[in-house]
Amino acid sequence: MESFLQVQKSTIALLGFDLFSENREMWKRPYRAINVFGIAAIFPFILAAVLHNWMNVMVLADAMVALLITILGLFKFSMILYLRRDFKRLIDKFRLLMSNEAEQGEEYAEILNAANKQDQRMCTLFRTCFLLAWALNSVLPFVRMGLSYWLAGHAEPELPFPCLFPWNIHIIRNYVLSFIWSAFASTGVVLPAVSLDTIFCSFTSNLCAFFKIAQYKVVRFKGGSLKESQATLNEVFALYQTTLDMCNDLNQCYQPIICAQFFISSLQLCMLGYLFSITFAQTEGVYYASFIATIIIQAYIYCHCGENLKTESASFEWAIYDSPWHESLGAGGASTSICRSLLISMMRAHRGFRITGYFFEANMEAFSSIVRTAMSYITMLRSFS
């Protein structure tokens, strides 16, 4: 349980506020979120670069990638602010349920610990990929300028984001300030993404753990009497229903985020894939390859977690089927009532729970569709170049 809370605190604290504090204390250190304000301030200059390079497909694609990244980063940060009370309520529900289940037996605590360990591994991989992409994004301008100077004897100033400023960046002082602003603002893209995505991964991992505990309990339930059997089953069904309610709360919070993530990721993948195909044999190809990997992992996390949640929630049906329900039943109306409860629960569990982005489901099929669509967009862009 402590590892779960640590993930929540550490990810949200990166943005400069704490979900566990009161509203008046939340912005005690607002300077931590200055990078997000920096990306909001640089957004008009990135948009100007997109409009200025409308006829150059390669430069336009590079600028569009930066524009989409800033839009997604700002959207995620605004959603964190808008949903912070909902997140806090969800975290409190998780804390209470995890504490109750862990106290009922070591086997339940072990299921929760295993889920949190897996969650921490995935979050570590995700953070590493994002930080690598951010580091390469900051280093790439110097690589470009160095290669240009080595091959042509002069170099044009490069920035982490394609921007069109109203001042002359060929002046050293202007360039240094513009570069620092752009590099610092790029963290405003990384932190909201890392925070929201790792929290989603943590939530879904523990929801899957609750479904596994419900399966464990129903497979091993055996009462000494019909009344005891009914009471045991009622507790299991209550756990399953509570977990479904928490899934619904999580889905309501993340529906707009998943919708925006999938739409923007599709566009990013097609443009980054196009840029990678052009610069495959160049140094820039490493940067675009790492960026593509980051976007794919970001989409994969939502699809993988959604698929796991669907599978674990639907597996409760088979857990009921494999349970020793027949050993706890006798003759009479009470046994009929238990059978009816089991059948109704199996019918509900058969549907499982689906994480959605309004008009689509976040699963591995959707992930495959994103990759296929991006490949078709790449082919279309290459035909225009």
Side-chain angles (χ1 to χ4, degrees):
M1 184 179 70
E2 292 301 324
S3 59
F4 166 77
L5 296 178
Q6 188 61 35
V7 169
Q8 315 309 320
K9 291 182 178 180
S10 60
T11 51
I12 290 296
L14 291 173
L15 293 171
F17 53 88
D18 185 3
L19 287 179
F20 294 86
S21 61
E22 298 296 331
N23 287 340
R24 67 182 65 180
E25 299 291 330
M26 190 179 69
W27 287 99
K28 202 170 185 178
R29 294 184 292 273
Y31 58 84
R32 287 186 179 179
I34 195 172
N35 45 16
V36 180
F37 302 136
I39 197 66
I42 207 173
F43 177 80
F45 304 112
I46 299 175
L47 180 59
V50 171
L51 299 176
H52 181 73
N53 297 287
W54 188 254
M55 301 303 296
N56 189 328
V57 177
M58 185 171 180
V59 179
L60 174 64
D62 197 12
M64 279 297 298
V65 169
L67 184 68
L68 292 171
I69 290 172
T70 56
I71 290 174
L72 187 60
L74 292 172
F75 176 75
K76 286 190 173 183
F77 182 72
S78 64
M79 291 303 295
I80 289 175
L81 293 181
Y82 178 72
L83 297 171
R84 65 183 187 275
R85 292 187 180 89
D86 297 317
F87 284 146
K88 188 177 186 302
R89 283 194 293 267
L90 263 178
I91 291 173
D92 290 338
K93 290 181 180 178
F94 271 87
R95 293 173 68 182
L96 179 61
L97 189 56
M98 291 171 71
S99 177
N100 291 339
E101 295 302 322
E103 291 175 355
Q104 294 184 24
E106 294 183 0
E107 61 273 28
Y108 307 140
E110 185 60 31
I111 292 175
L112 292 170
N113 289 333
N116 281 284
K117 288 179 181 178
Q118 181 183 6
D119 166 56
Q120 288 179 338
R121 287 194 295 268
M122 289 191 63
C123 291
T124 300
L125 174 63
F126 183 67
R127 289 193 190 101
T128 302
C129 290
F130 248 89
L131 291 176
L132 177 62
W134 173 79
L136 290 174
N137 185 59
S138 300
V139 172
L140 181 62
F142 296 105
V143 175
R144 285 175 172 173
M145 289 188 294
L147 288 175
S148 178
Y149 185 80
W150 183 44
L151 296 174
H154 69 277
E156 290 293 322
E158 298 276 353
L159 295 171
F161 287 114
C163 298
L164 184 63
F165 292 111
W167 53 82
N168 186 6
I169 62 173
H170 289 81
I171 300 174
I172 298 297
R173 181 184 59 187
N174 292 347
Y175 172 73
V176 170
L177 292 176
S178 301
F179 183 88
I180 293 174
W181 182 14
S182 300
F184 188 70
S186 63
T187 60
V189 174
V190 175
L191 296 184
V194 171
S195 298
L196 268 183
D197 298 348
T198 52
I199 287 177
F200 179 79
C201 184
S202 183
F203 277 145
T204 54
S205 294
N206 284 278
L207 286 171
C208 288
F210 294 146
F211 283 128
K212 288 180 180 179
I213 291 174
Q215 296 168 32
Y216 186 92
K217 287 183 175 181
V218 78
V219 167
R220 289 161 179 79
F221 98 94
K222 187 176 181 181
S225 62
L226 287 175
K227 185 176 181 181
E228 185 178 346
S229 298
Q230 184 68 67
T232 304
L233 284 175
N234 287 341
E235 292 179 3
V236 177
F237 295 155
L239 172 61
Y240 185 78
Q241 184 60 51
T242 300
T243 307
L244 286 176
D245 292 340
M246 294 169 67
C247 288
N248 188 58
D249 293 340
L250 180 65
N251 193 45
Q252 288 182 354
C253 290
Y254 270 89
Q255 271 186 332
I257 299 170
I258 293 175
C259 182
Q261 178 69 62
F262 279 38
F263 175 72
I264 293 179
S265 291
S266 300
L267 297 177
Q268 286 177 323
L269 281 177
C270 76
M271 293 177 187
L272 286 169
Y274 168 76
L275 293 171
F276 177 71
S277 65
I278 299 296
T279 62
F280 177 77
Q282 303 174 18
T283 307
E284 297 176 357
V286 178
Y287 162 71
Y288 291 126
S290 66
F291 220 141
I292 290 172
T294 300
I295 299 301
I296 289 177
I297 290 175
Q298 195 173 23
Y300 177 80
I301 279 183
Y302 284 100
C303 295
H304 176 73
C305 292
E307 186 74 27
N308 284 348
L309 201 60
K310 175 183 175 181
T311 301
E312 292 298 337
S313 59
S315 296
F316 189 67
E317 175 190 11
W318 293 102
I320 295 175
Y321 180 82
D322 294 333
S323 66
W325 55 270
H326 54 281
E327 298 179 7
S328 301
L329 301 181
S335 61
T336 304
S337 176
I338 292 179
C339 289
R340 187 181 298 113
S341 299
L342 291 171
L343 286 173
I344 293 174
S345 299
M346 291 179 70
M347 292 171 63
R348 172 59 188 90
H350 179 73
R351 293 187 289 130
F353 186 87
R354 293 166 172 79
I355 295 292
T356 62
Y358 291 122
F359 50 86
F360 63 92
E361 181 182 344
N363 54 21
M364 295 309 298
E365 183 179 354
F367 177 75
S368 300
S369 177
I370 289 175
V371 176
R372 288 196 303 268
T373 303
M375 293 301 104
S376 63
Y377 286 164
I378 292 170
T379 304
M380 180 186 67
L381 285 174
R382 285 188 63 86
S383 66
F384 291 149
S385 60

